[in-house]
Amino acid sequence: MKKVSIWLVIAGITFICVSLSMAEDTGGKMLYQSCAGCHGQTGEVMALGVSAKLKGQTANQILDKLNGYVDGTYGGSKKNIMVSIVKRMSEEDRVKVSEYISTF
């Protein structure tokens, strides 16, 4: 009986750790990985040589821009790239990635 109890405790702890890991993976850091190719790992690159660097912007500034891409009120001549990416993101994902980017 002790062996079964110990096994159940270990299985429970493992399940909790895996669950927390999966939750973290759906956060802003994971979402940002698809952005890093153009914007750099820490938002230090001007994407396509024209965008503002993401590094140093607040979460609200970034979120406003992402939402602007969605509703068509933001973006320059090359905005179609961002529009196609951002429209696939949920509102919650836009918030998460904005918060993550603001930490750069």
Side-chain angles (χ1 to χ4, degrees):
M1 187 68 170
K2 274 187 171 182
K3 288 181 183 181
V4 171
S5 295
I6 291 172
W7 186 86
L8 288 174
V9 168
I10 291 171
I13 291 171
T14 302
F15 176 76
I16 291 169
C17 290
V18 169
S19 296
L20 290 174
S21 176
M22 288 174 66
E24 184 177 298
D25 285 347
T26 60
K29 184 175 183 176
M30 184 178 146
L31 291 166
Y32 183 74
Q33 292 313 302
S34 63
C35 310
C38 294
H39 292 282
Q41 286 298 316
T42 58
E44 75 281 3
V45 176
M46 292 174 57
L48 303 176
V50 295
S51 74
K53 294 179 182 180
L54 299 177
K55 188 173 194 162
Q57 294 188 45
T58 68
N60 285 336
Q61 289 173 315
I62 295 162
L63 184 59
D64 286 345
K65 291 174 184 179
L66 294 178
N67 288 334
Y69 283 121
V70 172
D71 65 24
T73 60
Y74 183 80
S77 62
K78 298 181 182 182
K79 71 179 178 182
N80 290 338
I81 296 168
M82 282 299 297
V83 169
S84 67
I85 294 168
V86 176
K87 281 194 173 184
R88 291 181 278 174
M89 297 173 78
S90 69
E91 185 175 339
E92 181 181 352
D93 286 346
R94 292 192 302 270
V95 169
K96 286 180 183 180
V97 78
S98 297
E99 289 172 353
Y100 176 71
I101 292 169
S102 72
T103 67
F104 297 157

